[in-house]
């Protein structure tokens, strides 16, 4: 009985990891094409009021399972990024988020 439960737990953990990897890879390639991720647990839209950065600069962030997609537009120039959710990117540092 313990062997069956151990096998079920191992298969479940492996399945969760495979599903997470599939979502991560899909979202990564969507970000490379400038598209929003499929899974978005929390979204953040910020428009600068001119205190730290020029007025009208926009920042969009979509946080998913351990990673973050963001778009930052300032002076008509747009930057898109994809990276770990637990590290602040350059745009967040500049806006003071």
């Amino acid at each position: 009985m313990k062997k069956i439960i151990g096998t079920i737990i191992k298969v479940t953990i492996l399945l969760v990891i495979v599903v997470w990897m599939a979502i991560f890879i899909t979202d990564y390639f969507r970000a490379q094409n400038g598209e929003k991720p499929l899974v978005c647990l929390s979204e953040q839209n910020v428009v600068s009021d001119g205190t730290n950065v020029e007025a009208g600069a926009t920042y969009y962030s979509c946080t998913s399972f351990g990673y973050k997609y963001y778009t930052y537009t300032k002076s008509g120039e747009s930057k898109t990024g994809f990276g770990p959710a637990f590290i602040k990117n350059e745009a967040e540092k500049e806006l003071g988020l």
Side-chain angles (χ1 to χ4, degrees):
M1 187 68 173
K2 285 186 177 184
K3 194 172 189 173
I4 293 173
I5 292 174
T7 304
I8 291 172
I9 291 172
K10 288 177 186 176
V11 168
T12 303
I13 291 172
L14 184 63
L15 185 64
V16 167
I17 291 171
V18 168
V19 168
W20 178 81
M21 287 177 61
I23 292 171
F24 177 82
I25 291 169
T26 301
D27 285 349
Y28 174 78
F29 284 110
R30 288 178 60 88
Q32 295 299 316
N33 293 327
E35 301 173 16
K36 293 182 181 178
L38 292 176
V39 179
C40 193
L41 300 177
S42 68
E43 288 183 299
Q44 181 180 21
N45 285 309
V46 177
V47 178
S48 176
D49 58 359
T51 11
N52 299 340
V53 185
E54 69 180 56
T58 60
Y59 175 75
Y60 168 78
S61 171
C62 173
T63 304
S64 192
F65 299 107
Y67 54 91
K68 181 186 330 183
Y69 165 81
Y70 64 91
T71 303
Y72 180 57
T73 306
K74 179 174 102 174
S75 303
E77 185 179 323
S78 182
K79 295 180 184 176
T80 301
F82 188 83
F86 51 87
I87 296 177
K88 285 190 172 189
N89 55 51
E90 293 174 22
E92 289 175 330
K93 291 176 186 174
E94 192 172 322
L95 289 170
L97 300 175

